[in-house]
Amino acid sequence: MPQNTLLDVKGLKMYYQVVGRRWVKAIDNVSLKQLKNENVGIVGESGCGKSSLALSILRLLPSNARIMGGEILFDGTNLLGLPEKDIRRNFRWKRISMIWQGAMNALNPMLTIGNQICEAILVHEDVSKEEAWRRAEELLKLVGIEPSRAKHYPFELSGGMKQRAMIAMSLALNPDLVIADEPTTALDVIVQAQVLDLIKKLQKEFGISLLIISHDVSLVFSIVDRVAVMYAGKIMEWGPTSEIYHSSMHPYTHFLMESVPNIRSKKRPIGFIGGAPPNLLNPPSGCRFHPRCPYAVDVCAKEEPPMMFIWSEHSVACHREDELRSKWYG
Amino acid sequence: MDELVVVKDLKKWFTVRAGLFTRRKARYIRAVDGVSFSIRRGEIFCLAGESGCGKTTTGRSLLRLEEPTSGEVTFDGVNVFALDRTGLKTFRRQAQIIFQDPYESLDSRMAVFDSVAEGLVVNKIGAGRSERIKLVSEALEEVGLTPTEEFIFRYPHELSGGQRQRVAIAAAMILRPKFIVADEPVSMLDMSTRGSIVKLLMDLQKTMQLTFLFITHDLPLMKYISDRIAIMYLGKIVEMGPSEELIDNPYHPYSQALISAVPSPDPDESMREVKIKGDISLSLEATPGCRFASRCPYASEKCQETEPELLEIRKNRYLACHKMKRH
C-alpha cells in the first residue's frame, strides 16, 4: 500500500440480522480509498448504507450486525482483525473520531461541555485533570466558543454552539481521520456555513482528513475532493468531485445531480427518479438500480455490473457505461 | 392579476409565562410582528427564512389555525378573522395545508381511504361509502397513486415517504381548494423523490388554477419554482420580490448573507465567505431599531434607533433597510 493511503476499505460486506434469521444486506462489497490530507464524501439516500459504513469503520455496530467479509485498513492496520480493547485504546477517538448526526443531541445533558471534553482526554492520555481542563478550554476557543462556556451544560448553548462543542470534542486527541455523519443537518444555513468554514480551517491547521457522509449533495460536493455515490448498499460511482458533478457516468448519479437545484444557476425543471429505493432484505437481482433505471436492459436484471474504471481515479458500476457516456457527453 | 390573499400588519405574539408567584409582567415572543404581503391568484408565493423567523406561524395564522394577536387577512375579499363557525368551515374547504412530515400528518391507524375521505365526511360530501370511494379513487389518481385499488385500503406504514406525501396531498385536494399552504412539503423526502412531489404540486397548480404559499428554508428549490419570495427575519419581512431576481441579486444584508451561505453542488464554484457572525437570537424585549442590526456588518446608529419600513424601492422589489436603499 502506498505510504499516503489513510483509509482503505476493501470489499466490505456488513449485514444486519433481523427476525426470522434473515439478513439485511446493508453494505455489500464496498471498496473505498482515502488518502492522507484528503476529504472524501459519501452521498446517498436514507437507507443506502452510508451511516452503517461509518459505524463499521469505527467498529460501533449494533449487536445484530455482522461483518461478512472484507477489510478496513487504517494506516495499514486491518481494524476488523483487532480486539475491541485495542480499538478503544488506540484508534477510536484517538486516531479516528466522529461528529455524529444531530450531534447537538449526542452530548450528555448531565455533564458540562468542558467535563465531556476532559473525559475524552483523560480516558486516553495520562494527564492531570487541570491539564485536561486547560486543553478543553483551548479547544473551545479554537472552535469559536468563549472558554468560560466550558462550565455550561448543553441546554445552555444554541444548536450551532453545541455543534461546535462536538467538533472541539472530536479534535481533542488530535485524530488523523474525522468521520462526520450529517454534520450540519439540523443547523440553519448561515450557521452551517460558519461550521463548514471552521471545519475547513481546522483541517488545514491540523492536517486532518475528513470523511463526510450526507444525503445533502450540495454540502458534500462543496467540501470534498473525491466522492462515492452509494445506492442500496453498493457504491455506484466513485471519482473526483468535479467529474462526478459535471460528467457522471452512472444513471443514478446522473439523475441525482438533475434533482439537486443549484442556487447559482439558471432556473430549470427539477429532475427526479421514479419509484423508491429497494428493500435490502431482498434486493433486486443484477444491478440494484435496474428497477428504477430508464436505461435498464435485460443484462441489468441478470448480472451485477462490476466496478469499471473509466480512468484510474474514476470508476462506475454500470453495464451500459460506454453507450451512456457517448449519449450524454458525445 | 388580482389578489386572492391579502395580509395586513399580521401579528402573533406568544406569551411567555412569568413565574407563578412573581409579579413580573407577562413577556412575549414576537413570532410574527407586523407582516404584510399579498398573494396573487394563481401565484406561487414563498415565505423563506431560518428556523424561528416566524414563517410557519405566519402561514398558520393566516389559515386561522393559530389565533392572531392582531392584523387582518382577507381571502377572496372575505375577512378571515371575522368569520364565524360556518364561515370558517367554508373557508377551510377553500384553503388547505400540507405539512412537512408525512409520517406525522397522517394518522397511522387510518387507512388511506379514511385519511383522504375525512374532508368529505366533515363537509358531508358524497352520499354513502360507494360514492366516497369513487371520489377518493379520483383524488388518488390525480396524485399519481395508481392503480388506486392497490393504495386505497393501505396503511401509512406500508407506504414510502413520497407515497405518504401524495396521500396528504390527495387529502388536501379532494375538497377542490383554491389555496394551498405548503409548509416544507418536500424537506423530509429523499433527493430523488423530492422532484416528483414538486412536479406533482406544479402540475396540480396548473390544472386546477391553484394559488400556493410555500413555507420553506430551501432557497435553491424556491428559485426554481416560486414566482415571488419574501425573506423573513425574526418576525418581519426584510425583503420581497420576484424569486429569481431577488435570489440572484439580493439587497438586504441578511438576504445577502443567507443566499451566499447556501452551498452549491458545483465543486468548481468556490464557497462564498459568510460575512455575518452569530446566530438568530430571540429577544423577549421589544427593542427599537432594525432586528438585524446587531449582526449586520453595515449597521449604523440609525439602524439601532429606528426600525426600517418595508418599502417598494424599485418596481416589485420591497426592502426594509436604511442602508441599502439606493440601488
Side-chain angles (χ1 to χ4, degrees):
Chain A
M1 180 161 45
Q3 282 287 299
N4 60 348
T5 304
L6 181 65
L7 179 72
D8 195 0
V9 178
K10 286 182 179 168
L12 184 70
K13 282 187 187 188
M14 195 282 293
Y15 297 177
Y16 291 107
Q17 188 170 33
V18 291
V19 194
R21 299 199 121 245
R22 295 190 301 166
W23 297 96
V24 173
K25 303 179 181 76
I27 300 177
D28 214 2
N29 206 0
V30 160
S31 300
L32 186 86
K33 194 183 269 186
Q34 179 163 16
L35 305 181
K36 283 178 183 155
N37 289 317
E38 181 190 57
N39 293 341
V40 167
I42 301 174
V43 290
E45 299 174 79
S46 50
C48 74
K50 56 192 193 304
S51 293
S52 298
L53 182 59
L55 294 176
S56 306
I57 296 168
L58 284 161
R59 293 272 308 270
L60 284 173
L61 290 165
S63 57
N64 67 333
R66 188 157 329 146
I67 305 271
M68 311 297 272
E71 285 183 324
I72 298 175
L73 299 174
F74 179 77
D75 215 1
T77 315
N78 184 6
L79 296 180
L80 297 179
L82 297 178
E84 164 65 20
K85 207 171 135 195
D86 205 2
I87 295 274
R88 201 185 322 136
R89 190 171 297 159
N90 300 320
F91 290 92
R92 202 183 294 145
W93 280 112
K94 198 168 178 179
R95 300 200 61 194
I96 310 175
S97 68
M98 185 152 183
I99 303 171
W100 298 98
Q101 185 162 5
M104 31 220 277
N105 305 319
L107 291 166
N108 183 342
M110 305 294 285
L111 286 178
T112 62
I113 54 167
N115 271 328
Q116 295 188 46
I117 300 173
C118 276
E119 210 183 7
I121 297 172
L122 289 170
V123 167
H124 286 95
E125 287 179 24
D126 188 23
V127 293
S128 68
K129 182 115 211 262
E130 290 70 38
E131 166 69 12
W133 186 265
R134 201 188 51 74
R135 268 180 48 196
E137 285 187 334
E138 234 170 59
L139 284 162
L140 289 176
K141 208 165 133 194
L142 195 71
V143 297
I145 299 178
E146 282 286 305
S148 60
R149 289 273 193 169
K151 294 199 184 84
H152 286 209
Y153 288 90
F155 76 89
E156 294 173 282
L157 308 177
S158 72
M161 272 208 256
K162 278 189 266 189
Q163 202 78 5
R164 284 160 186 269
M166 225 14 236
I167 293 172
M169 207 154 133
S170 74
L171 297 173
L173 301 166
N174 202 3
D176 303 306
L177 176 67
V178 175
I179 301 177
D181 188 356
E182 305 282 5
T184 58
T185 318
L187 302 178
D188 274 317
V189 54
I190 291 180
V191 180
Q192 168 178 294
Q194 291 166 352
V195 169
L196 291 182
D197 276 351
L198 173 71
I199 291 179
K200 279 196 269 185
K201 198 183 100 205
L202 295 174
Q203 186 200 10
K204 276 202 194 107
E205 235 171 283
F206 295 93
I208 295 164
S209 304
L210 273 175
L211 179 63
I212 296 197
I213 294 168
S214 179
H215 72 284
D216 186 338
V217 172
S218 302
L219 168 78
V220 171
F221 280 43
S222 63
I223 29 183
V224 304
D225 307 301
R226 288 196 286 166
V227 69
V229 180
M230 256 186 112
Y231 181 79
K234 299 223 163 246
I235 289 180
M236 296 283 156
E237 190 162 3
W238 159 250
T241 314
S242 176
E243 263 187 59
I244 298 286
Y245 183 73
H246 292 289
S247 45
S248 54
M249 300 292 173
H250 198 285
Y252 176 65
T253 322
H254 191 80
F255 294 118
L256 189 66
M257 293 306 126
E258 282 187 355
S259 73
V260 179
N262 179 354
I263 197 165
R264 311 210 211 291
S265 76
K266 283 230 152 296
K267 248 171 142 155
R268 61 164 166 79
I270 294 174
F272 58 88
I273 306 171
N279 182 344
L280 294 182
L281 262 176
N282 190 12
S285 60
C287 170
R288 290 189 179 181
F289 185 58
H290 90 261
R292 298 175 78 187
C293 182
Y295 301 110
V297 288
D298 289 350
V299 64
C300 302
K302 284 179 198 140
E303 276 170 47
E304 194 175 327
M307 215 49 182
M308 284 174 288
F309 283 102
I310 291 164
W311 61 288
S312 64
E313 300 287 315
H314 187 172
S315 47
V316 61
C318 177
H319 288 300
R320 303 193 63 194
E321 165 261 319
D322 254 358
E323 293 160 72
L324 292 176
R325 187 180 350 177
S326 40
K327 179 181 160 70
W328 289 332
Y329 309 109
Chain B
M1 219 192 308
D2 63 336
E3 285 153 348
L4 180 68
V5 181
V6 181
V7 179
K8 270 192 201 137
D9 205 23
L10 181 70
K11 285 185 186 166
K12 174 66 191 176
W13 295 4
F14 293 100
T15 319
V16 180
R17 254 183 59 178
L20 195 56
F21 298 109
T22 57
R23 282 169 183 246
R24 212 167 37 179
K25 273 192 311 195
R27 295 191 298 172
Y28 301 98
I29 289 178
R30 296 164 168 79
V32 180
D33 202 15
V35 161
S36 304
F37 59 91
S38 52
I39 307 175
R40 299 165 191 155
R41 231 175 265 276
E43 180 179 46
I44 300 172
F45 186 86
C46 167
L47 279 177
E50 296 176 281
S51 47
C53 73
K55 55 190 192 298
T56 294
T57 309
T58 304
R60 292 178 59 90
S61 301
L62 70 86
L63 290 182
R64 255 180 88 178
L65 295 173
E66 207 80 77
E67 285 301 322
T69 306
S70 70
E72 198 184 289
V73 172
T74 50
F75 178 82
D76 223 354
V78 178
N79 181 355
V80 173
F81 297 156
L83 292 173
D84 58 5
R85 269 191 72 158
T86 23
L88 201 57
K89 209 165 160 184
T90 324
F91 167 64
R92 293 251 164 88
R93 272 184 72 170
Q94 297 174 36
Q96 290 281 324
I97 187 163
I98 300 167
F99 295 100
Q100 170 175 13
D101 190 349
Y103 295 81
E104 273 180 20
S105 62
L106 296 178
D107 189 326
S108 57
R109 291 161 304 173
M110 272 160 77
V112 168
F113 170 77
D114 297 299
S115 289
V116 178
E118 207 177 10
L120 299 178
V121 176
V122 170
N123 288 290
K124 303 193 175 65
I125 302 170
R129 194 172 161 86
S130 59
E131 196 180 331
R132 283 187 184 148
I133 288 183
K134 197 178 137 252
L135 289 170
V136 169
S137 301
E138 280 169 17
L140 292 181
E141 205 167 320
E142 275 166 17
V143 298
L145 288 173
T146 49
T148 56
E149 335 52 283
E150 217 175 88
F151 289 99
I152 193 162
F153 293 115
R154 290 234 211 140
Y155 284 85
H157 69 90
E158 300 171 287
L159 305 174
S160 71
Q163 288 169 341
R164 278 180 233 211
Q165 199 57 300
R166 284 173 194 267
V167 173
I169 294 168
M173 297 306 302
I174 199 162
L175 294 170
R176 299 279 166 248
K178 289 181 189 162
F179 178 54
I180 303 263
V181 173
D183 191 353
E184 302 278 12
V186 296
S187 62
M188 291 286 287
L189 303 174
D190 270 320
M191 227 22 133
S192 72
T193 35
R194 207 174 272 197
S196 64
I197 298 295
V198 169
K199 183 170 184 297
L200 170 67
L201 291 172
M202 297 303 98
D203 290 349
L204 289 171
Q205 190 241 352
K206 276 193 205 90
T207 52
M208 305 200 176
Q209 281 118 44
L210 286 167
T211 304
F212 265 104
L213 171 63
F214 264 88
I215 296 169
T216 182
H217 65 276
D218 190 343
L219 291 169
L221 180 65
M222 286 306 117
K223 180 177 177 181
Y224 283 22
I225 67 170
S226 70
D227 298 310
R228 283 192 307 145
I229 192 165
I231 310 259
M232 284 185 77
Y233 185 77
L234 288 179
K236 285 265 181 193
I237 292 178
V238 296
E239 185 166 4
M240 182 163 76
S243 305
E244 199 170 9
E245 195 187 315
L246 190 154
I247 287 173
D248 286 342
N249 185 18
Y251 296 157
H252 197 283
Y254 175 67
S255 327
Q256 288 172 0
L258 188 68
I259 290 160
S260 68
V262 176
S264 155
D266 184 347
D268 299 341
E269 281 173 41
S270 59
M271 277 280 264
R272 320 232 163 149
E273 199 194 343
V274 184
K275 290 203 193 98
I276 66 169
K277 303 265 175 272
D279 206 343
I280 282 196
S281 55
L282 285 175
S283 167
L284 297 174
E285 314 300 333
T287 41
C290 172
R291 282 154 213 238
F292 187 60
S294 62
R295 297 171 78 192
C296 182
Y298 312 107
S300 68
E301 228 167 80
K302 191 181 180 192
C303 306
Q304 311 278 0
E305 284 158 7
T306 44
E307 185 156 38
E309 269 181 87
L310 187 67
L311 300 170
E312 186 168 17
I313 55 157
R314 246 187 179 191
K315 197 168 179 347
N316 293 325
R317 292 289 299 262
Y318 293 79
L319 175 71
C321 178
H322 294 306
K323 289 297 200 185
M324 301 291 166
K325 263 184 192 159
R326 276 177 224 96
H327 253 282

